[in-house]
């Protein structure tokens, strides 16, 4: 796997996994945070997940911008010459979109952890 492919697949596969892992760990950390009456563990998990999501999203968007600036092969009606470049561009755009969506999800979950008390039932 090349670095260019990793940029795209990291956003497509790792970001949803990171968001799910963050949600699981944050849910598991709530009883401890309520017991010690502090939310620093929830905030630390949120910051780590948000940074990982932002980095992977930026890598995917960098690959998208690189592909948009790359000259495309001239395609005719009977030719599939532009298909690989178009496919790579689509995958990079999808990766950037998935990364942006899950970054927003993690950010909103952090906002909820910031506003609400861990002991709120």
């Amino acid at each position: 796997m090349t670095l260019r492919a990793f940029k795209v697949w990291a956003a497509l596969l790792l970001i949803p996994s990171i968001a799910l892992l963050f949600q699981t760990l944050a849910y598991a950390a709530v009883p401890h945070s309520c017991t010690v009456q502090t939310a620093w563990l929830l905030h630390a998990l949120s910051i780590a997940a948000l940074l990982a999501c932002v980095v992977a999203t930026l890598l995917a968007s960098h690959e998208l911008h690189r592909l948009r600036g790359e000259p495309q092969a001239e395609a005719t009606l009977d030719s599939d010459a532009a298909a690989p470049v178009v496919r790579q561009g689509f995958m990079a755009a999808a990766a950037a979109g998935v990364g942006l969506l899950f970054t927003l999800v993690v950010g909103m979950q952090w906002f909820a952890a910031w506003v609400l008390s861990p002991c709120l039932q």
Side-chain angles (χ1 to χ4, degrees):
M1 177 185 288
T2 66
L3 180 61
R4 291 178 182 168
F6 175 75
K7 289 179 183 180
V8 172
W9 288 107
L12 279 175
L13 297 176
L14 290 181
I15 290 180
S17 300
I18 288 170
L20 184 61
L21 180 66
F22 159 68
Q23 189 172 11
T24 303
L25 292 176
Y27 185 74
V30 166
H32 175 71
S33 294
C34 183
T35 302
V36 296
Q37 290 293 313
T38 183
W40 69 267
L41 183 58
L42 297 175
H43 294 304
L45 287 170
S46 300
I47 289 170
L50 193 62
L51 283 176
C53 289
V54 166
V55 166
T57 302
L58 288 175
L59 287 173
S61 64
H62 178 265
E63 184 65 14
L64 175 64
H65 289 297
R66 186 194 67 79
L67 287 170
R68 293 259 168 108
E70 192 172 275
Q72 296 184 4
E74 191 64 36
T76 62
L77 222 42
D78 298 333
S79 172
D80 288 335
V85 175
V86 171
R87 184 173 44 248
Q88 289 171 354
F90 172 75
M91 292 300 288
V98 166
L100 189 63
L101 175 69
F102 278 97
T103 300
L104 182 65
V105 166
V106 169
M108 290 298 103
Q109 288 176 341
W110 184 21
F111 179 73
W114 185 50
V115 172
L116 301 174
S117 168
C119 298
L120 186 66
Q121 293 185 12

